[in-house]
Amino acid sequence: MFTQHGIEPSFTDRHEAGRALATELQALNLDNPLILALPRGGVPVAREVATALGAEFDLLLVRKIGAPGHEEYGIGAVAEGAHPQLVVSQAVLGLAGASQGYLEAEQERQLAEIERRRLLWRGGRPPIPVAGRTCVVVDDGVATGNTARAAIRALRFDGAARIILAVPVAPPDVIEQLAQEADMLVCLKTPEPFLAVSLHYRHFGQLGDEQVTELLG
């Protein structure tokens, strides 16, 4: 089956991708890992990984920062944590016309949205502490790498002992960059050219809040 871009999907859906990732991670014999999903898309992938590994499972909330007037065009990301981490793409920052004031305001706005979603999805339960843990960060794929980079840096500041980034698909150049941030990187597919994460799934629907809450349970 081919998409309109001539790309054959590698995975049926996020659950299948999660099971494939779990097979790779099981071979590492990780000691008491904490599986951290980047919502929303990373949640079903991470759920499969956590189930297969018999591991604890939680969210790591990260929000994209969009360009002024074009929120869908990501120029950075901010991650929750004791030391919230802001990551921006310096190469596009000037082109996007984003001032320091804009970035600071967006960081505060997105941290407020992170808090809202934390309460919605986790309820009153606090995050599982990451200090001293082997943390496996899971998403359904990587495009720019900003979200994953912010997540890794937040975990580093919060004292994670070891950080593994595990994703089904990502561009090869971005994977090379992220390999310098994480202690280990597991990526199943690195197609080139890379157009979009969604093209590598046959079914890539949006997840609702109820689905995220159910998968967490």
Side-chain angles (χ1 to χ4, degrees), residues 20-21 24-25 28 137 164-169 175 184-188:
L21 265 183
E24 296 293 320
L25 290 165
L28 300 178
V137 179
I164 300 169
L165 177 63
V167 293
V169 62
I175 282 297
M184 180 178 289
L185 200 149
V186 177
C187 182
L188 304 179

Side-chain angles (χ1 to χ4, degrees), residues 1-214:
M1 176 181 177
F2 288 81
T3 72
Q4 67 271 31
H5 295 278
I7 295 174
E8 183 178 8
S10 300
F11 310 102
T12 300
D13 56 20
R14 294 179 176 95
H15 292 280
E16 182 187 75
R19 291 190 290 272
L21 265 183
T23 299
E24 296 293 320
L25 290 165
Q26 283 175 317
L28 300 178
N29 295 314
L30 302 174
D31 182 24
N32 190 29
L34 172 59
I35 311 302
L36 295 169
L38 300 183
R40 291 185 172 98
V43 177
V45 184
R47 176 78 270 176
E48 295 289 348
V49 170
T51 299
L53 272 61
E56 285 188 289
F57 173 49
D58 203 356
L59 300 177
L60 179 52
L61 297 173
V62 183
R63 291 286 295 170
K64 179 177 73 174
I65 290 180
H70 301 278
E71 290 190 1
E72 73 285 351
Y73 180 65
I75 61 172
V78 61
E80 70 170 338
H83 305 275
Q85 293 298 297
L86 172 67
V87 169
V88 295
S89 297
Q90 296 296 335
V92 301
L93 202 55
L95 295 175
S99 66
Q100 186 62 35
Y102 171 84
L103 289 175
E104 291 173 358
E106 273 299 290
Q107 178 176 358
E108 290 304 311
R109 188 170 76 88
Q110 296 303 340
L111 285 173
E113 178 62 15
I114 282 174
E115 178 63 13
R116 187 191 72 81
R117 293 188 179 211
R118 185 184 69 80
L119 292 172
L120 177 65
W121 292 333
R122 286 200 190 108
R125 181 175 62 82
I128 297 174
V130 303
R133 299 289 300 270
T134 293
C135 296
V136 183
V137 179
V138 178
D139 205 351
D140 55 11
V142 167
T144 66
N146 288 329
T147 300
R149 190 172 292 109
I152 292 167
R153 292 182 183 179
L155 289 172
R156 192 78 70 194
F157 270 90
D158 288 347
R162 189 182 184 199
I163 302 169
I164 300 169
L165 177 63
V167 293
V169 62
D173 58 331
V174 174
I175 282 297
E176 288 181 12
Q177 297 165 16
L178 291 173
Q180 300 174 30
E181 302 266 355
D183 297 307
M184 180 178 289
L185 200 149
V186 177
C187 182
L188 304 179
K189 303 285 184 180
T190 54
E192 197 170 20
F194 184 93
L195 299 177
V197 171
S198 61
L199 297 180
H200 299 278
Y201 290 84
R202 288 189 173 88
H203 305 291
F204 196 74
Q206 294 297 312
L207 274 74
D209 292 331
E210 289 185 1
Q211 290 171 287
V212 171
T213 303
E214 181 180 349

